[in-house]
Amino acid sequence: MVEVKGAIMTSEDVIQRLTHLRDDSSMKAVVLRVDSPGGGVGPSQEIYTEVQKLAQVKPVVVSMGSVAASGGYYIAIPAHQIVANPGTITGSIGVIMEFTNFQELLQKIGLKSQVVKSGEHKDIGSPVRPMTPDDRQILQSLIDDVHSQFVSAVAQGRDLPLDKAKTLADGRIYTGRQALEAGLVDRLGNMQDAIDLAAELAEIEGKPRVIYPRESKPKLFNYLVEETLHSMRQGLQEQSVGGMQFIWEGLN
């Protein structure tokens, strides 16, 4: 069992585990449990590549949890089978960049930014100047290129015509049941169904023994910080009244 939970911002731990499982002959199949809304393009593509390599050696089945969208769907594509719950939120095949401009706010409070740059577009996406037409064209070209890579991966991995993959890849989300109808997943079921399917593909007789990842031990510093915050929270809850109690609970 390999788990990918939360936003995909790094890939090192997942890649290390996938590489280990690829080389471990005692592991007959792998279930990739995905519960992620996506994340960075680079880390998602790196995990995608390792899942692809693993699938060339042994059966890989993806089990989708609550959410397996955008990069979370990307990493699932190379698997032999994708199993989703009927209500899983998946799809969101697309790429997005967002920029916030603070220029007017800075002017109101009397702040002005000074920029020294080596080229015209070095500060592209800057929050302290308007986006120019050239900036937008460059960024749109970048988005389109990454999106085309995503679409091609979907078409290849799901054995879909490229035109159909483009139609499905307009950024919308799908339920697991809708994704099944669209050809984005293979069947509906829960994690145990995915485990049984992986055992079947690996021709494992009897009940398979599932090896889960070891829980990482918290570092001493993190432990001390968590304990300190816990003590602070208890103290504030005991001593605070009215608004203070409300603010603290609101932050948590």
Side-chain angles (χ1 to χ4, degrees):
M1 182 72 66
V2 177
E3 297 177 334
V4 178
K5 295 183 177 180
I8 303 172
M9 304 309 295
T10 62
S11 59
E12 288 83 357
D13 291 344
V14 177
I15 287 177
Q16 184 177 13
R17 183 155 176 78
L18 292 173
T19 303
H20 170 74
L21 292 174
R22 187 180 72 219
D23 298 334
D24 188 345
S25 60
S26 68
M27 299 294 175
K28 304 303 180 184
V30 175
V31 173
L32 180 64
R33 176 68 171 182
V34 181
D35 204 337
S36 170
V41 173
S44 299
Q45 289 186 328
E46 289 183 335
I47 296 174
Y48 164 91
T49 300
E50 288 305 318
V51 174
Q52 194 174 46
K53 293 178 184 177
L54 179 62
Q56 295 172 357
V57 177
K58 58 190 66 177
V60 179
V61 175
V62 166
S63 168
M64 291 182 167
S66 299
V67 181
S70 194
Y73 181 72
Y74 201 127
I75 66 174
I77 296 171
H80 293 97
Q81 293 278 297
I82 300 177
V83 181
N85 295 291
T88 294
I89 300 302
T90 187
S92 188
I93 302 169
V95 189
I96 186 173
M97 277 187 175
E98 292 183 328
F99 300 93
T100 302
N101 188 282
F102 304 131
Q103 189 174 11
E104 291 186 10
L105 175 61
L106 294 178
Q107 289 174 351
K108 288 182 179 180
I109 59 178
L111 294 178
K112 186 175 181 181
S113 174
Q114 299 289 343
V115 177
V116 179
K117 54 186 179 179
S118 59
E120 180 183 356
H121 301 292
K122 185 59 181 176
D123 64 340
I124 193 168
S126 170
V128 295
R129 70 167 177 81
M131 182 178 291
T132 68
D134 285 345
D135 289 342
R136 182 172 293 277
Q137 183 178 3
I138 291 170
L139 293 172
Q140 187 64 57
S141 175
L142 184 149
I143 291 293
D144 291 343
D145 182 58
V146 176
H147 184 244
S148 69
Q149 297 174 36
F150 200 163
V151 173
S152 296
V154 172
Q156 179 183 358
R158 299 303 305 166
D159 194 23
L160 295 172
L162 186 59
D163 288 342
K164 182 176 181 180
K166 288 180 179 179
T167 301
L168 296 171
D170 61 358
R172 77 182 70 183
I173 56 175
Y174 303 88
T175 65
R177 188 164 62 180
Q178 291 173 330
L180 178 64
E181 294 174 356
L184 295 175
V185 305
D186 295 290
R187 60 181 71 188
L188 300 179
N190 59 18
M191 186 168 67
Q192 187 58 52
D193 293 324
I195 292 171
D196 294 340
L197 177 57
E200 178 184 338
L201 293 176
E203 300 181 349
I204 297 174
E205 296 182 1
K207 186 177 181 180
R209 185 165 67 97
V210 183
I211 308 299
Y212 290 89
R214 295 179 181 177
E215 292 187 7
S216 57
K217 296 181 180 179
K219 295 181 180 179
L220 178 61
F221 176 76
N222 292 341
Y223 173 78
L224 293 174
V225 170
E226 290 175 2
E227 284 297 304
T228 301
L229 290 175
H230 178 70
S231 298
M232 289 173 60
R233 180 178 181 181
Q234 282 188 324
L236 285 170
Q237 287 178 336
E238 291 172 359
Q239 299 176 18
S240 60
V241 292
M244 185 62 189
Q245 177 82 16
F246 175 78
I247 292 172
W248 180 258
E249 292 298 327
L251 291 174
N252 289 273

